[in-house]
Amino acid sequence: MKLSYDPEADAAYVQVAPHIEPGAVVRSEETSYLDCHIAVDYDSDDRVLGIEILSASTLFTPTALDVAGSE
């Protein structure tokens, strides 16, 4: 699992799959949690590939986001 963070967009991505090939995401379900917008990406076998979190600074601690850094 890998966490990346874009401070300019205040967006975090939790990559669950070891590697995500281009075009591998076939479905994305969106929801809201607290003050965040969350999208879960799935592959064709309904396995979770990753989770995108907008307004990430409202959910993660500053330390976690610093450790994640931007990639």
Side-chain angles (χ1 to χ4, degrees), residues 24-46:
V25 176
V26 297
R27 181 170 58 95
S28 186
E29 291 186 6
E30 300 178 7
T31 189
S32 292
Y33 177 74
L34 299 175
D35 291 327
C36 300
H37 177 79
I38 299 171
V40 180
D41 296 334
Y42 296 89
D43 69 7
S44 60
D45 294 320
D46 281 335

Side-chain angles (χ1 to χ4, degrees), residues 39-63:
V40 180
D41 296 334
Y42 296 89
D43 69 7
S44 60
D45 294 320
D46 281 335
R47 291 179 294 219
V48 174
L49 298 174
I51 303 163
E52 180 182 42
I53 303 161
L54 302 179
S55 301
S57 62
T58 64
L59 188 61
F60 291 96
T61 66
T63 303

